[in-house]
Amino acid sequence: MATSAQTLSLIIDELVKAKPIDRDAAITLLAAKGFLPKKLTEVPKEKKVTRFASKAAEDFADAKSLVIPDGFKGTAANDKISVKDLKQLAEGPKKTKANASPSAQQFARDNGIDISKISGSGAEGKVLLKDVKDLKPAAKAAEEPAKRKVSSSAAKLMKQYEIDEEDVVDIEGSGKEGTIVAKDLKELIDMIKAEKSGESSDESEEED
């Protein structure tokens, strides 16, 4: 809408009289006198900057009272934080699976040994039973494992499931003269299968 000559004259008079130091001061002065349209006097709303990729992510963080670490970058566009990122924060870092044989893990649990701090002597640094027992002299002295007799069928299973000789020293063989036969390995093999099944489910969750 056009401003009348009279209004313009009043505006000029006010500016000459008050001599505002800058544009903002002039707008404040004229707005107080009612000389300016509403659009000129409205303060523009500041756009809210959020770290979250969606309202759902923001609500999830509030519901879980999550504290986002400084410098944390999300996997959504522009490093925004998604619900998936927040779930991972809530769950915490996944425990790294120990690179150790089942019998070594069992021995470590039974004797309160932290297997993650042991350097293994097996393939690719795998911790074997003897590695754990080396840390417990009393156990080693009490039971120095002798080489066990293993049947050909049991040997094939050991090779198939990557079972070390140290893993079977505690197994009581049911064959002739204590020879370990295939059925004696059933419990150990079931344990290995269960572990592999757990690894597969973890991988599928990560892919999802």
Side-chain angles (χ1 to χ4, degrees):
M1 183 177 72
T3 305
S4 68
Q6 184 182 1
T7 302
L8 283 173
S9 179
L10 290 172
I11 288 172
I12 292 170
D13 289 343
E14 285 293 335
L15 292 175
V16 170
K17 180 181 176 181
K19 295 179 181 178
I21 59 173
D22 56 24
R23 186 176 187 275
D24 290 338
I27 289 176
T28 302
L29 170 68
L30 297 175
K33 299 290 184 178
F35 293 148
L36 297 179
K38 189 177 179 182
K39 284 185 178 180
L40 269 179
T41 59
E42 285 181 343
V43 178
K45 293 181 180 179
E46 290 185 11
K47 189 176 181 181
K48 185 180 178 182
V49 179
T50 177
R51 302 173 65 185
F52 301 101
S54 64
K55 183 68 168 59
E58 190 171 355
D59 292 342
F60 184 90
D62 290 339
K64 298 290 184 180
S65 300
L66 290 177
V67 177
I68 312 298
D70 291 337
F72 180 83
K73 292 184 179 181
T75 57
N78 300 320
D79 296 331
K80 297 280 187 178
I81 301 170
S82 65
V83 174
K84 180 182 177 183
D85 299 324
L86 294 171
K87 285 182 177 179
Q88 290 177 348
L89 276 177
E91 292 170 359
K94 289 189 175 182
K95 293 183 178 179
T96 304
K97 185 175 175 61
N99 181 23
S101 66
S103 58
Q105 293 184 53
Q106 184 63 51
F107 186 89
R109 283 193 293 268
D110 293 343
N111 293 278
I113 298 172
D114 185 355
I115 204 165
S116 65
K117 296 180 180 178
I118 302 174
S119 296
S121 60
E124 299 181 356
K126 185 176 183 179
V127 179
L128 307 178
L129 181 61
K130 68 183 182 67
D131 299 324
V132 187
K133 287 190 173 182
D134 283 344
L135 298 179
K136 200 170 180 65
K140 185 180 178 184
E143 184 186 352
E144 189 67 35
K147 190 171 179 65
R148 303 298 305 274
K149 292 182 180 179
V150 180
S151 69
S152 58
S153 58
K156 287 180 182 178
L157 287 173
M158 288 175 65
K159 183 176 181 181
Q160 179 182 347
Y161 290 98
E162 298 179 349
I163 299 172
D164 301 305
E165 289 185 9
E166 289 80 2
D167 291 332
V168 299
V169 294
D170 294 326
I171 295 177
E172 186 175 343
S174 60
K176 186 177 179 182
E177 297 179 357
T179 299
I180 295 174
V181 295
K183 65 179 182 179
D184 300 327
L185 300 175
K186 184 180 184 305
E187 185 176 344
L188 181 57
I189 290 172
D190 288 343
M191 188 188 305
I192 293 171
K193 286 180 178 178
E195 286 185 357
K196 288 184 177 180
S197 176
E199 289 176 358
S200 298
S201 62
D202 287 345
E203 289 175 0
S204 62
E205 285 179 8
E206 290 176 1
E207 289 175 359
D208 291 340

